[in-house]
């Protein structure tokens, strides 16, 4: 998700809302399909604080995402 003109702290709050909504939703269970519980890990970075180019920003957010996964998953981590 790209959030123009959004501070890092506000982006973390939005990421947390998305994470909580996904965590509290049951997916599937229709027509005999199994019910699934899904969680998400979220990485947050900001321009220009964490990079000036697309590659720099993608590297920073990728790092944040893997830190969230490594810290136990189902978390929001910012760099």
């Amino acid at each position: 998700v790209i959030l123009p003109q959004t501070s890092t702290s506000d982006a973390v709050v939005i990421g947390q809302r998305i994470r909580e909504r996904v965590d509290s939703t049951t997916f599937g269970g229709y027509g005999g399909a199994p019910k699934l519980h899904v969680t998400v890990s979220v990485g947050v970075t900001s321009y220009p604080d964490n990079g000036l180019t697309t590659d720099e920003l993608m590297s920073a957010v990728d790092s944040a995402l893997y830190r969230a996964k490594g810290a136990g998953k189902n978390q929001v981590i910012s760099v």
Side-chain angles (χ1 to χ4, degrees):
V1 177
I2 298 173
L3 303 169
Q5 299 183 0
T6 304
S7 69
T8 300
S9 60
D10 287 344
V12 168
V13 168
I14 293 167
Q16 191 72 314
R17 285 184 192 150
I18 292 168
R19 187 201 62 74
E20 290 170 357
R21 180 66 59 94
V22 171
D23 189 38
S24 67
T25 301
T26 300
F27 297 90
Y30 308 104
K35 292 182 181 180
L36 301 173
H37 179 249
V38 178
T39 62
V40 295
S41 297
V42 178
V44 175
T45 193
S46 62
Y47 170 88
D49 299 336
N50 301 115
L52 298 176
T53 67
T54 301
D55 287 342
E56 290 172 338
L57 290 168
M58 291 301 292
S59 178
V61 77
D62 194 48
S63 174
L65 172 61
Y66 281 101
R67 284 179 48 211
K69 288 181 177 189
K73 302 181 183 177
N74 198 27
Q75 296 185 40
V76 177
I77 301 284
S78 67
V79 293

